[in-house]
C-alpha cells in the first residue's frame, strides 16, 4: 500500500523504503488502491490476496537487491 500510494502521488520510488509496522491511510483507501492496480475488473478476495502477495514479494526483493539501491547505482538508471 505504501508503494502504491506514493506511485499514485507521482513520488520518486527509488528513494522510498517500506516502513514496517507503520500505518498509513484507511482500510477503504487501501482496498481502493488494490482494486485500482490489481489488473482484474471485478477481482475475488483470492485474486486480491494473490496480487498483494506477489507485489509484496517483488518489492521486498527489490529493496534487498544491490542493483536497486540508489546509493550503489547512483544515476546510471536515469534516462
Amino acid at each position: 500500500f505504501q508503494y502504491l500510494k506514493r506511485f499514485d502521488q507521482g513520488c520518486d520510488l527509488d528513494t522510498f523504503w517500506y516502513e514496517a509496522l507503520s500505518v498509513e491511510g484507511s482500510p477503504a483507501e487501501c482496498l481502493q488502491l488494490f482494486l485500482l492496480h490489481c489488473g482484474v475488473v471485478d477481482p475475488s478476495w483470492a485474486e486480491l490476496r494473490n496480487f498483494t502477495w506477489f507485489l509484496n514479494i517483488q518489492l521486498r526483493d527489490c529493496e534487498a537487491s544491490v542493483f536497486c539501491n540508489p546509493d550503489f547505482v547512483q544515476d546510471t538508471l536515469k534516462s
Side-chain angles (χ1 to χ4, degrees):
F1 173 75
Q2 293 176 13
Y3 272 97
L4 290 177
K5 181 178 177 182
R6 283 161 180 77
F7 175 78
D8 278 354
Q9 294 171 343
C11 296
D12 181 13
L13 298 177
D14 291 339
T15 58
F16 175 73
W17 294 98
Y18 168 70
E19 300 169 27
L21 303 177
S22 69
V23 177
E24 295 184 15
S26 67
E29 184 182 9
C30 182
L31 181 58
Q32 183 179 17
L33 278 178
F34 289 158
L35 289 169
L36 180 65
H37 290 281
C38 79
V40 178
V41 176
D42 187 18
S44 66
W45 286 112
E47 289 168 323
L48 283 176
R49 184 228 174 259
N50 289 338
F51 167 70
T52 57
W53 175 81
F54 178 76
L55 184 62
N56 186 52
I57 296 292
Q58 295 299 307
L59 292 170
R60 186 182 65 206
D61 289 349
C62 180
E63 284 187 353
S65 172
V66 68
F67 299 107
C68 296
N69 183 331
D71 295 329
F72 176 76
V73 177
Q74 297 178 2
D75 65 353
T76 59
L77 297 178
K78 300 288 184 189
S79 55

